[in-house]
Amino acid sequence: MKKLISMEQAANLIKDNDVVTVSSASGLGCPDAVLAAVGKRFQNESHPHDLTMIHPIAAGDMYGIKGIEHLARKGLIKTVIAGSYPSGPSSLPMPEIWRMIVDNEIAAYNVPSGVLFDLHTDAAAKRPGVITAVGLDTFADPERQGCAMNALAAENPIVKKIEFNNQQWLHYFSIIPNVAIIRATTADERGNLSYEHEGGLLGVMEQALAVRNNGGIVIAQVKRITRAGALNPHHVHISCNLVDFIVVDPEQMQTTKVQYDPAISGEIQQPDSVFDVAAWNMEKIIARRAALQLKKGMVANLGFGISANVPRILLEEGLNGQVTWVIEQGAVGGMPLLGFAFGCAANADAIVPASSQFTYFQGGGFDIALLSFLQIDKNGNVNVSKLPGKPYLTAGCGGFVDITTHAKRLVFSGFFKAGAKQSVETGQLIIHQEGKTRKFIDEVDHVTFSGKMALERGQDVIYITERCVMKLTSDGLMVTEIAPGINLESDILAQADFQLLVSPDLKVMDSAIFMENPMQLKLREFK
């Protein structure tokens, strides 16, 4: 088999100054063995050096699949353009790639994941970059940071605001990769690739096409080899004409902390009884209130964090299957998984390419998005992408900007303050000790969602916390509901850095949310 090579040979194919695109979503689909071989070669030879790395979704994690961390060596990388980066808790050391970004050793950009997939499509078709509304008035806008994560990146802008047809747009400049490192489950002797053990297809087709059409090389890491002609052509996702080299890693992880689970790849269907319901805590209270925004028959996008618990709320209420979940890695339907396996779903109806999923998101084809927040400001702006003190606590924007641009309804969930000690007693929310960190502040550190653009687009936006529910209005954020037991003045209004409006029709949140037993939730039909 002429295309089959060793990991060392694959690493030797990458030249100084190459532009390398990597397909991954944290641990999911990460070609970790190839990246490790590249890092090892650099350690031994100081080559390849000055690479530009493109990661539509983060390559690797902080829990055992190193991904881009293999390459975090001075001189190896010159530039990183990524939708997200490895992230984790403050209890873990800062990844070296983050230290290099913070210390301005490499130029680093955070570009919306869907836009990065679009850039690959346009590179394949030899078009001059992407023109889109995604990112207007967010950190991606050149009137803010223009996607730059540090001073070195700011010196070389990659996006420009333009006017076309009497409207403002962002033009993300063309990026031409000449090496693609992708992953699959099986390769036949000719180089056809199938994905039967994978939890997502991600954007491998767009990445392979971008490289192939611009004269580069495509390296595929797989779990196993089969004979030519053994793969059903309908099961081949990447055809042999797009693949130059194959490397085999029989021990490749399916996703973070998961060697192989056939439910993640849709090979088996699991009964509802195997899924845990959400534990009784403050996060569950917030997720329950978010669940009240749903209707039977809706298609709902789901983000990482507190919102990821909402499907488990419906499961506990006997409503599993009444809402179709769509997540950016490509799963449609089923039960989205939690923790390390987030981004995958068991019992999915379909696993579509992430690139197609993002087209669906960017055009607002779904009914509602359930997302999380780190900070919110007086203009309704939301930050999920950057915390200056410990930047690696967040992965960056990922698909958040793509998802929120044209979403019809948006629900942002999070704690009202960080670090507060609270409990529920006889259905009343009790604050024992106030949190030290305010999350409702005058100006967010990073604008990942623009309240101004949401108002211009007529989007329906609400913010849910354990203490209250707020709605975005043209006059500011308005408190529409408060939790039972909470004092409006001292527990809410006095704990925000800006003036919150109060609805003349202020309500108390449904008391069932604060009881440990199921809420007896019923979803109305969506029309």
Side-chain angles (χ1 to χ4, degrees):
M1 181 177 172
K2 294 181 179 179
K3 293 185 177 182
L4 181 62
I5 61 175
S6 68
M7 294 292 175
E8 294 75 17
Q9 288 171 315
N12 287 335
L13 291 168
I14 300 174
K15 300 179 177 64
D16 299 343
N17 300 300
D18 272 350
V19 180
V20 183
T21 182
V22 179
S23 182
S24 181
S26 297
L28 178 65
C30 183
D32 196 57
V34 178
L35 297 177
V38 175
K40 184 177 180 181
R41 180 192 167 203
F42 180 82
Q43 186 177 12
N44 294 334
E45 305 175 13
S46 297
H47 295 284
H49 59 69
D50 291 324
L51 300 182
T52 295
M53 302 300 301
I54 307 172
H55 302 265
I57 312 178
D61 54 52
M62 292 175 62
Y63 306 95
I65 299 177
K66 294 182 68 174
I68 193 175
E69 193 74 352
H70 289 298
L71 311 181
R73 303 174 186 273
K74 189 173 180 61
L76 199 167
I77 299 175
K78 177 178 65 177
T79 302
V80 182
I81 304 168
S84 52
Y85 291 80
S87 63
S90 58
S91 58
L92 294 177
M94 179 186 291
E96 184 64 13
I97 190 67
W98 273 107
R99 188 202 61 75
M100 295 176 76
I101 293 169
V102 171
D103 290 350
N104 209 40
E105 291 183 8
I106 58 175
Y109 302 87
N110 188 198
V111 178
S113 292
V115 171
L116 278 173
F117 287 126
D118 293 339
L119 281 167
H120 283 82
T121 299
D122 281 14
K126 303 187 187 299
R127 294 190 288 257
V130 172
I131 296 175
T132 179
V134 173
L136 283 169
D137 197 41
T138 73
F139 76 91
D141 193 313
E143 293 183 6
R144 294 188 187 272
Q145 289 81 26
C147 298
M149 296 178 69
N150 57 16
L152 204 54
E155 293 174 6
N156 294 287
I158 62 170
V159 58
K160 179 181 180 181
K161 184 173 281 187
I162 64 172
E163 188 165 312
F164 175 72
N165 199 26
N166 296 320
Q167 288 183 281
Q168 286 193 323
W169 305 83
L170 295 184
H171 174 210
Y172 294 85
F173 305 155
S174 179
I175 304 170
I176 309 298
N178 66 317
V179 178
I181 304 175
I182 63 176
R183 201 185 92 174
T185 301
T186 307
D188 73 7
E189 293 172 299
R190 300 192 65 204
N192 295 299
L193 305 180
S194 61
Y195 282 69
E196 59 271 19
H197 288 179
E198 306 301 320
L201 301 172
L202 306 179
V204 288
M205 176 61 79
E206 288 71 22
Q207 290 171 291
L209 284 170
V211 169
R212 163 60 59 225
N213 287 6
N214 286 284
I217 59 169
V218 177
I219 302 167
Q221 177 184 309
V222 299
K223 191 175 185 180
R224 59 195 183 184
I225 299 288
T226 190
R227 66 175 179 81
L231 297 176
N232 183 319
H234 283 289
H235 298 165
V236 172
H237 186 64
I238 303 293
S239 55
C240 58
N241 58 304
L242 299 179
V243 178
D244 296 288
F245 300 100
I246 302 291
V247 294
V248 178
D249 177 15
E251 301 303 318
Q252 65 186 25
M253 301 283 286
Q254 190 179 37
T255 189
T256 303
K257 296 287 188 179
V258 178
Q259 187 65 46
Y260 170 58
D261 179 351
I264 285 175
S265 46
E267 297 168 272
I268 64 169
Q269 295 283 305
Q270 294 183 317
D272 286 355
S273 58
V274 307
F275 303 116
D276 294 330
V277 300
W280 177 243
N281 54 29
M282 289 295 154
E283 289 193 357
K284 183 171 187 175
I285 288 170
I286 298 170
R288 279 181 159 185
R289 180 58 188 83
L292 296 182
Q293 298 303 120
L294 298 171
K295 295 181 181 179
K296 185 178 181 180
M298 272 186 164
V299 177
N301 169 259
L302 201 65
F304 185 69
I306 290 174
S307 298
N309 291 304
V310 176
R312 306 304 171 113
I313 302 300
L314 267 58
L315 173 69
E316 185 178 23
E317 299 290 337
L319 304 176
N320 187 30
Q322 293 195 9
V323 171
T324 299
W325 311 106
V326 286
I327 49 183
E328 64 185 62
Q329 287 80 359
V332 177
M335 176 58 67
L337 301 181
L338 300 173
F340 294 124
F342 183 81
C344 303
N347 304 346
D349 294 312
I351 298 175
V352 303
S355 48
S356 300
Q357 192 86 300
F358 274 113
T359 300
Y360 177 62
F361 291 161
Q362 289 174 353
F366 54 101
D367 302 308
I368 192 169
L370 306 180
L371 304 167
S372 300
F373 69 82
L374 293 173
Q375 297 172 325
I376 294 171
D377 69 20
K378 59 187 176 185
N379 297 312
N381 298 324
V382 175
N383 174 21
V384 300
S385 50
K386 185 178 181 181
L387 288 176
K390 292 197 174 180
Y392 66 98
L393 297 184
T394 172
C397 69
F400 191 95
V401 183
D402 304 279
I403 291 162
T404 57
T405 297
H406 289 120
K408 304 174 188 73
R409 301 170 186 85
L410 287 155
V411 178
F412 297 108
S413 296
F415 287 104
F416 193 87
K417 290 185 75 176
K421 293 182 180 179
Q422 305 172 120
S423 67
V424 174
E425 300 175 10
T426 61
Q428 304 280 303
L429 180 60
I430 308 298
I431 301 172
H432 302 285
Q433 182 177 319
E434 193 53 83
K436 293 182 179 180
T437 304
R438 295 193 175 202
K439 302 182 77 172
F440 289 82
I441 57 179
D442 280 329
E443 187 175 345
V444 295
D445 290 313
H446 217 221
V447 178
T448 332
F449 168 77
S450 168
K452 171 178 172 288
M453 295 304 301
L455 290 170
E456 289 183 10
R457 291 168 178 151
Q459 294 172 290
D460 181 4
V461 182
I462 69 168
Y463 311 88
I464 294 176
T465 76
E466 78 286 10
R467 300 186 191 186
C468 64
V469 178
M470 289 155 283
K471 182 176 179 62
L472 178 63
T473 75
S474 57
D475 296 319
L477 270 64
M478 178 180 289
V479 180
T480 58
E481 299 176 31
I482 61 172
I486 286 296
N487 182 284
L488 174 65
E489 291 292 337
S490 61
D491 297 334
I492 297 173
L493 302 184
Q495 302 302 325
D497 283 354
F498 57 91
Q499 184 176 357
L500 291 167
L501 306 175
V502 179
S503 170
D505 189 28
L506 183 66
K507 295 181 171 62
V508 175
M509 294 164 72
D510 189 338
S511 60
I513 297 171
F514 297 86
M515 302 293 185
E516 193 166 352
N517 294 330
M519 297 188 293
Q520 307 303 317
L521 178 63
K522 303 294 181 185
L523 299 183
R524 292 178 294 161
E525 290 285 344
F526 180 60
K527 297 179 181 179

